[in-house]
Amino acid sequence: MSVGSKIKSLRKKRGMTQSVLADGIITRGMLSRIEIGTAMPSMHSLNAIASKLEVSPSFLIEDGEDILPAEQARVAKSIEKEYRNGNYSNCLNLFEFWHIETDAKFAPIFVSCAFESAKKQFQNGNFKKAIELLSKVEEVLPQLLIPPVSPSQKQISLLYNIIEHIDSIEIAIDNADDKPDFNYSVSVFFTLLKLIKSGRRNDCISLMNFCDMDRIYTEYINALTDISNYKFIDAMLSIKAIMSSSACPVFLKLLCLSSLENCCKLCDDYKGAYENHLAYQEMLKSIIR
């Protein structure tokens, strides 16, 4: 591959026009001639062009047909930087552009980024996007030589279960695994809800004290305990605080509204019960429409 062909290929991969690459270095016309092979850049121009394309000058002038190794090194550096900074969506954009998610070196990062992004979409109630990302995770996950602790198939299946039964979370609770994935708070949370639903409240408390779970889920379990102990005002105050938290996922807000409705009924506050019921229905419509 000639110097000009390499410059042209790299320029297009960077999404640059000839004018952008040439700016401050040479004229656009001169760059056009270099790319088609009717002119050669001076060493000064070559160094400047290489710097702008983020490759070494030697890479442009050395013989070789394949630009992929140099590109992979550059992309790997970008992906690792974005991943360290927690910019998972930026990582996914790079993966989508380069189609390297199944590469042995990149697959573990892709799986982690896609799952973290899926969890964020799930938390915000963007279930269609969450399912799309989870499907991509499932495609690549079996190709990893060493299965990661997270995401696991159990975690993925749980999110599918909640999304599928978002209009009837009681079914999602019934389907929860009796042996949760302790590396994922939502998995532990649904197991605890299942224990409460089956009347095993003491087992629920014991398990909650044993495992490490996000605070917002612990607070909701404690609120359910207050309800069972007829501490309705305390429970309602706790639940409203949970709902106002930015960390509260949509599915938990639905559970909170359902619990508030139940509390109001137990307090003979049927107006409050009706208002919370309407709020529940409105939130559900906004999610599944």
Side-chain angles (χ1 to χ4, degrees), residues 120-128 130 249-251 286-288:
K120 183 176 181 179
Q121 297 296 333
F122 167 79
Q123 177 165 319
N124 294 334
N126 300 323
F127 294 151
K128 184 177 180 180
V250 167
F251 82 87
S286 70
I287 296 169
I288 63 178

Side-chain angles (χ1 to χ4, degrees), residues 125-141:
N126 300 323
F127 294 151
K128 184 177 180 180
K129 185 62 177 179
I131 290 173
E132 178 186 324
L133 290 165
L134 290 173
S135 297
K136 291 180 179 179
V137 173
E138 286 189 303
E139 289 177 10
V140 180
L141 192 59

Side-chain angles (χ1 to χ4, degrees), residues 16-69:
M16 292 181 180
T17 63
Q18 287 183 334
S19 297
V20 169
L21 179 56
D23 185 43
I25 303 175
I26 52 178
T27 66
R28 190 200 67 78
M30 182 60 178
L31 177 60
S32 179
R33 291 174 57 201
I34 292 170
E35 289 188 349
I36 63 177
T38 59
M40 284 292 291
S42 66
M43 187 55 65
H44 175 75
S45 297
L46 184 72
N47 287 336
I49 290 170
S51 176
K52 219 165 187 179
L53 292 173
E54 300 180 61
V55 294
S56 66
S58 61
F59 172 74
L60 294 178
I61 60 178
E62 287 175 357
D63 290 335
E65 297 297 319
D66 192 6
I67 67 170
L68 185 59

